[in-house]
Amino acid sequence: MELFRALGALAERPTAGHAPIARSLGLPGAPDAATYTALFLLQLYPYASVYVGAEGMLGGEARDRVAGFWRAIGLVPPAEADHLATLLGLYAELRERCEEETEPLRRSALDRASCALLWEHLVPWVPLYTQKMRAIGDEFYRAWAELLERALRAEAHEHAAASLLPLHLREAPSFADPREAGAQSFIAALLAPVRSGFIIVRDDLARAARQLGLGLRQGERRFVLESLFAQERVPVLDWLEAEALSAAQGVSDAFPPVIRTFWSARAAGAAALLQRLGQTEAEFEATSARTNV
Amino acid sequence: MSPFDDIGELNKRVSAARQETEARGETFYAGASRIHLAAFPPKERWNDWVELDSRAWPERKERRYSLVPTTCFNCESACGLLAYVDAETLQVRKFEGNPEHPGSRGRNCAKGPATLNQIQDPDRVLYPLKRAGKRGEGKWIEVSWDAALDDLATRIRGAIVEERENEIMYHVGRPGEDGYTERVLAAWGVDGHNSHTNICSAGGRAGYAYWLGFDRPSPDHANADVILLVSAHLESGHYFNPHAQRVMEGKQKGAKLIVVDVRLSNTATHADHWLAPHPGSEAAMFLAIAHHLVSTGRYNRNFVRRWWNWQEYLQNERPDLTPTFENFERAFLDLYAEFSFDYAARESGIEERRLREVAELVASAGTRLSTHNWRSAAAGNLGGWQVSRCLFLLNALLGAVATEGGVYPNAWNKFVPKPIYSPPHPKRWNELTWPQEYPLSMNEMSFMLPHLIRDGRGKLEVYFSRVYNPVWTNPDGFSWIEMLTDETKVRLHAALTPTWNETAFFADYVLPMGHSSERHDIHSYETHDAQWLGFRQPVLRTVRERGGEHIADTRVVNPGEVWEENEFWIELSWRIDPDGKLGIRKYFESQKVPGTRLTVDEYYGYIFENSVPGLPERAAAEGLSPLAYMRRYGTFEISRKVGALHEVSVPADELVDTQTNALGRVYTRAPKPASVNVVPVPSPDADCDGRRPAGVEVDGAVLRGFPTPSGKLEFYSPTLRDWGWPEYAAPAYIKSHVHRDNLKPGQMVLIPTFRLPTQIHTRSANAKWLDELAHTNPVWINPIDARRLGAIETGNLVRVTTEIGYFVVKAWVTEGIRPGVVACSHHMGRWRLHEVGQRQMSASVKLKHEGDSWAMHRTAGVVPYSSSDPDTGRIWWTDAGVHQNLTFPVHPDPISGMHCWHQAVFVAKAEAHDAYGDIAADTAGSRRAYEAWLAMTRPALSHSPDNTRRPYWLLRPLKPGTDAFRLPTPT
């Protein structure tokens, strides 16, 4: 599947060699290095572990699970086993080897391996990623994301027939209620898409600060979010609820149904909790205000 | 029509685009930047590579580069580098990895890119210098190369004509090449090669040599199930970069890593098992594991039966037993009955339970056990050579020899192409490097030179130190200063060096030689089961030649008058023998244009055309000459997966009028087949009728075997037995000179054999990036010892007292070291006596000298200074470490000849008048130590079985002819 290899290559830092690849895919223009940095290094990190890992960060158990897949099929996992480009490259390789294989047993094993990779490590998160990329990317990367989404959908249509929820999603802990888990865990869960059901990138937080008239302190996303909460709680909770609600209603239809349901339920669950929290907090603030008077 | 049909079409279109691009010989996928570190410029664009200038940011300024491959010179691994030469200024802007290189695969350690610092070092030596005052006075004048060459040539010619050949000596630190200079000396007829090996790896080598004939292992870490290292392997030593990446590859595949090291090294931090034994007890641990493998039947019985010389052992040591394999198994268990886990635990101080765990792990490896010991314990202890020997015993028991994931002999994974000329073996034997007391020494007894000269065993007319700094690197440096300042003993000292060093201060000439991007060499290394060749080249020469110029002399393109050595030796040899009457000139003459000097283009062109299988064809496929191909790519892989050569059948046409001895060694009258790979191989003796050994009979087949006298793996070494050491004929445990029993009350063991992964011996001091990373060497002390010694805290000054003196250093209190042991990194403590010298990493010192008593006192640390490099004004560190080696006497192992580095020391809080960096040593004491260790030898004169100086079959650099091996007749 040359197409996946090519799409994967474009998830890498652009070099002069990327222009012909982009041309062959019919994408508009060529990737720009500065835009790449802004999108892939600062906003939307192209790693499975960020989207399906319990911590919403690079590495951890989610990356181990991906690395385990490489080992299970007898390959040495590369240092960044869960990078989008790596996964797409591996998928291309497995499909090609499957198509070239003439020995039925080996062919069937390669087919199973590629289907498992697709179902377990690509389909669970890539549509969420491409949806966000289509929202924040420039013309080139928007087109790239759209093409990737369509290609993946075509592939899932043909090869991803599993009905059991992928392991990453089965293992994902639920969203965290700050009243039980504490504020730190709550903020961590907000930034872990697999728990909250939606992606918050740096630009989203800047947008929140702008819309709510709050100060934006520079730092990692957790720090920014903490500082927003430190300034105002109810408006921030409301803003997050709106984001979650919008995510729940707009889950990409590129996901297979069972996965789509998962993401939708996650975002809806988060929205519901955020709403409750917002209400409780508003009531508390109103009470405090009265007491203080 | 499916809604996804256009996706299928797109797929075909990309495939077509890729095929079309690749058909043009170009790269379609440049390689992903974060996967396999593969984002290198595609090779078809090396001639014109464009990058944005990072310094011009935010302006987007493009810079054009010509990328030229070369080989790193900062250790012996020969990793590939890619020099980025600015097309506008013709200056190297940076060095990165060469992705085409099979050994390093585009990955480099910090030392490779730091080559840039070395070539731009504002303090480097750029012109030939001659001393103006007394030796060591620090006064220099520039001279022409012509004047220096004529002086050297006249003296060397005189020595050769007057049959004083042994007064010419070439003392090499970092060779960086495979035999070029040895052949220069052979052409002169001089046994004058002196290496640094006996302060480095001779102990490790000896252990391997008695088993395999070959003196180096080539472990296949990447495919091992269990990796057992006796060293700080991932961070130090020659093999650091190519092996570290393969150790990690093995680990990624699930291999278990066992590290034996007294210190918690970076390598140990990656281990599944870190064992920190009493220094010197490693062999006892391995023998206990070996005993366990055999007693529980968990070893490769068939391999041992087929490939060990067990019959020879039984025949000689157990004549009471019928020579059956079952009896050998019994005899083996008898021999090592003492080595229970309980005994090993007592000797090593490591819990018996942990030793058992490790033994089980080793047993589970089968033929996928990769092991390695190079320096570390083998270089630290009396009898250290038995550490590598007992380590390899585990491979030999498991049959993990030349298997995937096992250990290969190095020469099978190395390729040394036959050069244009092969001068004959020298006819002389040099007693200054190969004294008869050390007939089994693996390499030259180099570090004893001052003592041997003082004994009146010889003197030197011309002494070349070449990329070597014995005053600083060797033990007992004050004795070296005494020798070098005595002009009656060393008449002329020429330091061939790319940088100032402590030894060069005591030279008559300092002759500037090139760094890795300024010289030609070819080099191959045993990084894995493959054979490859790396080409080092002056990159600016290649760039200018790409532009159509013809460069006949590398000095034209190098900075100042920095020369490369190939051209230097050719020119010097012509001046020694200008009319060819000495028979020297012919080895340095062009074959294409007789009567003129051989050029480097002809020299390497010949090799690449005639001696590297597959290279001419590969080059032709790209429309290049073999030389042009190597100038373009810098490397060539000759073969991959060489495999188990010992199992290869000897072809019938090599078996002519054969004789097979009782042990199965097969001798033939057929001549040795010609080979273009001239990698050094041991040469077992012919039979009494002059037939050469061609193979060994195993289960009825004649197989190639190993280059040992028996043709098998020598568990039992008749060589050791015959040359006076029957007690060590089989792998054994020798108690170290720093064994607990040999320590005085209160003494501790000092480990000085490690270094930091960013250090390059002498030449790191000229790399500002590396200096900034590391510039001190505190002594590691366990908190238990720190409390016992009077509440020593990190940063406190301590005085470490050795057998002949002391040094004052800072303490670093850490649990990363075994209690009872202290450790201090070498590669630190650079100093200079005068203003001249490199300044980024050396302290200014004063020397006091009265009789045999020497003292060094630091007068200033490192300070910022202005120079052509603005960074020297930003130097923020003052420390340069402490030069501990000055306080060590020589400790030559009586068998391997290795200097046994570990020291028995007293450690105490510094005294009131002590200052950081103070050093004192007594050279009379070092002479007493030399004599005491000399008395431990069993000299050839009294122990040689055949009236020769050394077993002829053993490897020896610049091996002289057989006549020279004969001992002088007593008068």
Side-chain angles (χ1 to χ4, degrees):
Chain A
M1 283 300 283
E2 195 77 52
L3 176 59
F4 280 93
R5 186 172 293 116
L7 286 165
L10 294 177
E12 284 294 327
R13 183 171 59 80
T15 63
H18 280 90
I21 300 177
R23 235 183 351 262
S24 71
L25 291 173
L27 294 172
D32 171 66
T35 310
Y36 175 86
T37 304
L39 289 172
F40 289 76
L41 271 63
L42 301 175
Q43 304 285 342
L44 267 173
Y45 316 110
Y47 297 88
S49 50
V50 173
Y51 304 94
V52 294
E55 300 82 10
M57 293 195 278
L58 279 179
E61 265 188 58
R63 179 179 278 181
D64 277 355
R65 281 196 289 268
V66 180
F69 177 83
W70 289 77
R71 286 196 200 94
I73 59 171
L75 298 176
V76 180
E80 299 195 325
D82 64 332
H83 190 280
L84 179 59
T86 319
L87 290 172
L88 292 175
L90 177 63
Y91 184 72
E93 173 85 17
L94 290 175
R95 287 262 33 115
E96 281 166 3
R97 276 162 60 177
C98 177
E99 278 151 29
E100 285 160 13
E101 183 58 61
T102 50
E103 202 279 314
L105 270 179
R106 277 205 294 272
R107 186 183 169 94
S108 148
L110 283 164
D111 184 49
R112 279 200 309 278
S114 61
C115 289
L117 174 63
L118 184 68
W119 183 255
E120 292 290 335
H121 303 302
L122 284 165
V123 171
W125 67 281
V126 175
L128 190 74
Y129 182 86
T130 48
Q131 186 181 29
K132 191 77 180 176
M133 183 61 87
R134 284 198 282 126
I136 67 170
D138 68 345
E139 187 193 5
F140 178 82
Y141 283 112
R142 281 202 309 274
W144 167 81
E146 194 184 328
L147 182 57
L148 172 57
E149 196 173 292
R150 285 197 329 108
L152 201 65
R153 192 197 292 226
E155 209 59 17
H157 180 73
E158 197 172 340
H159 296 293
S163 56
L164 186 63
L165 202 57
L167 185 63
H168 288 304
L169 307 184
R170 290 207 305 279
E171 293 280 311
S174 58
F175 195 51
D177 187 332
R179 293 165 299 189
E180 292 159 15
Q184 290 297 322
S185 299
F186 170 65
I187 290 179
L190 276 170
L191 296 173
V194 81
R195 300 185 71 181
S196 67
F198 66 109
I199 297 174
I200 303 175
V201 300
R202 287 170 176 281
D203 280 359
D204 293 330
L205 294 171
R207 177 165 52 85
R210 250 193 337 271
Q211 289 172 351
L212 302 175
L214 300 176
L216 182 71
R217 295 189 67 188
Q218 289 302 321
E220 56 166 342
R221 287 179 303 155
R222 171 193 287 263
F223 176 80
V224 178
L225 200 47
E226 276 172 359
S227 79
L228 292 177
F229 272 122
Q231 296 168 65
E232 291 280 3
R233 291 195 187 179
V234 178
V236 176
L237 286 167
D238 289 350
W239 183 88
L240 287 165
E241 184 207 334
E243 291 288 302
L245 213 52
S246 148
Q249 288 159 359
V251 178
S252 165
D253 56 7
F255 282 121
V258 59
I259 298 177
R260 188 161 186 255
T261 307
F262 169 88
W263 284 107
S264 169
R266 279 285 147 132
L273 178 63
L274 288 161
Q275 188 195 27
R276 283 199 302 280
L277 290 172
Q279 278 169 356
T280 312
E281 192 64 27
E283 284 162 18
F284 176 75
E285 281 180 12
T287 314
S288 311
R290 278 200 299 277
T291 311
N292 289 338
V293 168
Chain B
M1 182 178 158
S2 151
F4 302 121
D5 277 358
D6 65 322
I7 292 289
E9 281 308 308
L10 204 49
N11 195 42
K12 285 180 197 153
R13 215 164 73 199
V14 188
S15 286
R18 175 176 60 78
Q19 282 159 13
E20 194 186 312
T21 309
E22 287 175 357
R24 293 197 301 267
E26 294 172 8
T27 310
F28 186 69
Y29 294 113
S33 62
R34 63 195 70 233
I35 302 151
H36 301 134
L37 301 175
F40 295 99
K43 54 185 184 287
E44 66 272 10
R45 303 233 306 274
W46 285 7
N47 273 347
D48 183 19
W49 177 246
V50 182
E51 277 191 2
L52 292 181
D53 184 351
S54 57
R55 290 196 179 171
W57 185 85
E59 192 193 336
R60 295 169 69 84
K61 186 175 170 194
E62 288 190 346
R63 278 196 176 273
R64 305 192 94 81
Y65 294 98
S66 203
L67 310 190
V68 189
T70 186
T71 302
C72 188
F73 189 45
N74 283 338
C75 86
E76 202 65 0
S77 299
C79 297
L81 290 177
L82 208 48
Y84 284 57
V85 181
D86 192 309
E88 206 174 300
T89 63
L90 287 187
Q91 294 298 312
V92 181
R93 296 266 295 187
K94 63 175 175 177
F95 290 92
E96 294 200 347
N98 178 358
E100 298 291 308
H101 195 285
S104 54
R105 305 183 287 190
R107 310 168 198 186
N108 292 88
C109 73
K111 292 173 272 189
T115 302
L116 186 68
N117 299 161
Q118 295 171 317
I119 63 172
Q120 294 175 347
D121 166 30
D123 293 336
R124 74 179 288 192
V125 186
L126 290 174
Y127 299 91
L129 299 177
K130 187 179 183 183
R131 75 173 157 98
K134 280 193 275 182
R135 263 195 211 153
E137 201 181 320
K139 292 182 181 163
W140 301 92
I141 50 167
E142 274 182 30
V143 289
S144 68
W145 272 107
D146 276 336
L149 283 164
D150 283 341
D151 191 2
L152 287 165
T154 306
R155 287 166 184 268
I156 292 169
R157 182 184 169 87
I160 291 170
V161 170
E162 292 162 22
E163 298 188 353
R164 294 183 285 114
E165 292 96 331
N166 284 352
E167 294 183 11
I168 302 162
M169 185 178 285
Y170 163 83
H171 198 170
V172 59
R174 172 63 46 240
E177 45 104 347
D178 283 318
Y180 181 96
T181 323
E182 280 184 48
R183 288 189 294 273
V184 170
L185 294 165
W188 297 355
V190 166
D191 183 23
H193 188 271
N194 196 1
S195 72
H196 73 284
T197 309
N198 275 23
I199 59 149
C200 175
S201 56
R205 288 168 190 259
Y208 291 107
Y210 290 115
W211 269 110
L212 291 156
F214 299 106
D215 65 347
R216 287 174 182 235
S218 174
D220 183 14
H221 296 310
N223 296 304
D225 283 350
V226 177
I227 302 169
L228 169 51
L229 306 175
V230 185
S231 64
H233 210 89
L234 294 186
E235 64 209 66
S236 51
H238 295 334
Y239 299 88
F240 162 47
N241 176 45
H243 273 190
Q245 55 180 263
R246 289 177 171 85
V247 168
M248 295 318 291
E249 203 175 311
K251 267 179 71 74
Q252 283 180 327
K253 288 183 191 166
K256 295 290 181 195
L257 174 62
I258 305 162
V259 173
V260 181
D261 196 329
V262 184
R263 281 181 322 116
L264 181 64
S265 62
N266 288 3
T267 313
T269 62
H270 286 69
D272 296 284
H273 287 274
W274 169 42
L275 306 180
H278 287 310
S281 64
E282 293 82 357
M285 288 169 21
F286 299 144
L287 289 178
I289 295 172
H291 186 268
H292 177 72
L293 294 177
V294 176
S295 63
T296 57
R298 301 184 66 191
Y299 76 108
N300 191 332
R301 225 170 158 249
N302 197 41
F303 180 85
V304 175
R305 183 186 62 76
R306 281 165 58 82
W307 284 111
W308 286 28
N309 69 338
W310 54 270
Q311 297 94 333
E312 213 167 356
Y313 175 76
L314 286 182
Q315 198 178 73
N316 288 280
E317 299 294 322
R318 295 298 299 269
D320 56 312
L321 298 174
T322 323
T324 64
F325 186 67
E326 290 70 21
N327 276 339
F328 172 69
E329 288 175 301
R330 265 173 234 133
F332 183 95
L333 292 174
D334 287 349
L335 179 63
Y336 297 117
E338 180 191 2
F339 292 92
S340 62
F341 284 119
D342 173 50
Y343 175 79
R346 273 182 280 124
E347 282 299 290
S348 65
I350 290 172
E351 284 177 283
E352 190 179 330
R353 177 182 59 82
R354 296 211 51 216
L355 292 175
R356 282 184 187 278
E357 277 173 27
V358 166
E360 286 301 310
L361 204 53
V362 169
S364 73
T367 57
R368 289 179 180 270
L369 173 72
S370 75
T371 61
H372 201 187
N373 175 213
W374 195 234
R375 298 186 190 123
S376 186
N381 299 287
L382 172 70
W385 61 282
Q386 289 279 18
V387 174
S388 53
R389 196 173 184 214
C390 293
L391 179 67
F392 191 77
L393 169 64
L394 303 179
N395 284 84
L397 277 170
L398 293 177
V401 179
T403 50
E404 195 167 72
V407 174
Y408 293 76
N410 79 310
W412 297 358
N413 295 162
K414 182 177 169 86
F415 195 93
V416 181
K418 193 172 164 46
I420 187 166
Y421 297 116
S422 299
H425 301 285
K427 294 192 175 73
R428 301 249 162 206
W429 187 279
N430 198 334
E431 269 280 328
L432 281 178
T433 37
W434 299 92
Q436 63 88 18
E437 287 91 341
Y438 296 88
L440 300 177
S441 166
M442 285 312 293
N443 282 74
E444 303 89 344
M445 298 304 299
S446 55
F447 57 95
M448 295 194 348
L449 188 65
H451 297 288
L452 298 172
I453 286 192
R454 193 181 174 99
D455 280 354
R457 299 190 188 206
K459 56 183 188 288
L460 297 174
E461 177 68 38
V462 176
Y463 172 69
F464 291 103
S465 56
R466 185 282 201 177
V467 195
Y468 195 41
N469 187 7
V471 166
W472 180 78
T473 310
N474 283 11
D476 196 13
F478 288 127
S479 291
W480 279 83
I481 296 177
E482 286 178 0
M483 178 188 86
L484 291 174
T485 47
D486 184 343
E487 291 180 36
T488 65
K489 300 283 171 39
V490 179
R491 294 211 182 106
L492 184 128
H493 169 202
L496 309 180
T497 175
T499 181
W500 277 110
N501 65 49
E502 286 78 347
T503 305
F505 296 152
F506 299 97
D508 300 298
Y509 287 105
V510 178
L511 303 177
M513 294 294 166
H515 290 291
S516 76
S517 57
E518 299 164 344
R519 49 187 293 130
H520 284 99
D521 294 297
I522 42 177
H523 209 173
S524 176
Y525 223 66
E526 60 278 12
T527 54
H528 59 296
D529 184 22
Q531 293 176 327
W532 54 262
L533 192 64
F535 186 38
R536 190 175 289 125
Q537 60 178 335
V539 298
L540 299 182
R541 174 179 172 136
T542 303
V543 166
R544 287 180 49 177
E545 285 179 346
R546 280 182 190 174
E549 283 183 70
H550 172 69
I551 309 290
D553 185 325
T554 309
R555 284 174 294 186
V556 172
V557 295
N558 277 345
E561 289 182 17
V562 170
W563 212 356
E564 66 135 36
E565 282 165 50
N566 294 166
E567 288 170 354
F568 165 79
W569 293 116
I570 292 167
E571 185 58 40
L572 180 59
S573 300
W574 269 73
R575 293 189 191 215
I576 292 168
D577 185 20
D579 52 11
K581 287 187 179 157
L582 294 181
I584 294 172
R585 202 187 86 172
K586 62 184 177 189
Y587 298 114
F588 304 91
E589 210 168 309
S590 166
Q591 284 185 352
K592 289 181 181 163
V593 190
T596 65
R597 285 160 175 72
L598 183 64
T599 64
V600 283
D601 276 351
E602 186 178 350
Y603 178 81
Y604 290 107
Y606 175 92
I607 288 175
F608 298 147
E609 274 162 36
N610 298 288
S611 304
V612 185
L615 174 56
E617 295 77 11
R618 173 81 71 83
E622 295 202 17
L624 298 170
S625 72
L627 177 63
Y629 181 94
M630 290 302 276
R631 289 213 184 278
R632 181 170 174 153
Y633 295 116
T635 181
F636 182 71
E637 189 173 56
I638 296 136
S639 59
R640 207 178 279 184
K641 293 209 176 290
V642 178
L645 296 185
H646 61 290
E647 291 276 10
V648 171
S649 296
V650 179
D653 59 1
E654 261 195 68
L655 298 173
V656 177
D657 183 20
T658 57
Q659 278 290 327
T660 305
N661 72 13
L663 294 163
R665 195 58 156 134
V666 178
Y667 297 87
T668 180
R669 287 213 188 272
K672 200 173 171 186
S675 171
V676 288
N677 185 359
V678 294
V679 63
V681 175
S683 46
D685 295 339
D687 74 358
C688 50
D689 297 325
R691 295 181 187 86
R692 72 174 178 89
V696 62
E697 206 173 277
V698 179
D699 290 345
V702 182
L703 306 179
R704 193 62 83 191
F706 297 91
T708 55
S710 65
K712 293 198 174 177
L713 292 177
E714 296 208 330
F715 167 73
Y716 179 73
S717 168
T719 307
L720 283 161
R721 179 199 60 200
D722 294 345
W723 287 77
W725 300 95
E727 66 270 46
Y728 300 139
Y733 170 43
I734 299 175
K735 287 188 176 170
S736 168
H737 65 299
V738 293
H739 187 274
R740 291 195 301 285
D741 298 351
N742 297 327
L743 297 182
K744 294 176 188 149
Q747 260 186 339
M748 300 175 78
V749 181
L750 169 68
I751 307 291
T753 44
F754 73 99
R755 68 166 161 180
L756 303 175
T758 54
Q759 297 286 297
I760 324 169
H761 297 273
T762 292
R763 288 171 298 139
S764 25
N766 295 75
K768 63 186 179 191
W769 297 335
L770 305 183
D771 294 339
E772 184 168 22
L773 287 172
H775 40 255
T776 188
N777 60 343
V779 66
W780 301 34
I781 303 180
N782 186 280
I784 296 170
D785 293 318
R787 279 195 295 278
R788 180 175 57 78
L789 295 168
I792 291 173
E793 291 177 12
T794 295
N796 286 170
L797 286 187
V798 292
R799 184 192 262 223
V800 180
T801 305
T802 67
E803 201 178 336
I804 63 166
Y806 67 84
F807 60 98
V808 179
V809 66
K810 287 177 204 148
W812 180 37
V813 179
T814 169
E815 287 178 340
I817 182 108
R818 187 183 176 83
V821 183
V822 290
C824 188
S825 161
H826 63 318
H827 291 208
M828 289 285 171
R830 302 294 308 283
W831 49 265
R832 64 183 195 278
L833 294 164
H834 308 286
E835 197 44 42
V836 71
Q838 67 79 28
R839 292 171 280 177
Q840 295 161 28
M841 246 299 258
S842 71
S844 298
V845 299
K846 277 212 158 72
L847 276 182
K848 265 171 65 180
H849 177 206
E850 283 176 29
D852 297 320
S853 176
W854 288 82
M856 179 179 284
H857 182 71
R858 207 171 89 127
T859 55
V862 182
V863 290
Y865 60 99
S866 48
S867 73
S868 56
D869 179 357
D871 276 350
T872 60
R874 303 182 182 113
I875 287 175
W876 54 268
W877 58 92
T878 56
D879 205 348
V882 179
H883 183 203
Q884 58 182 337
N885 293 6
L886 286 171
T887 67
F888 302 162
V890 294
H891 287 162
D893 184 278
I895 298 171
S896 69
M898 175 78 212
H899 170 61
C900 306
W901 277 102
H902 294 352
Q903 307 286 320
V905 296
F906 290 100
V907 180
K909 276 190 165 176
E911 295 174 15
H913 59 276
D914 282 346
Y916 179 64
D918 277 358
I919 288 164
D922 167 32
T923 50
S926 69
R927 276 197 299 285
R928 284 194 295 278
Y930 155 73
E931 283 156 9
W933 283 69
L934 192 64
M936 290 158 62
T937 60
R938 297 181 189 168
L941 278 172
S942 47
H943 289 80
S944 171
D946 54 6
N947 204 35
T948 61
R949 295 171 178 274
R950 173 185 177 82
Y952 186 78
W953 77 273
L954 285 177
L955 290 167
R956 209 211 98 162
L958 192 61
K959 204 170 192 173
T962 44
D963 286 351
F965 271 70
R966 275 200 287 277
L967 280 166
T969 318
T971 49

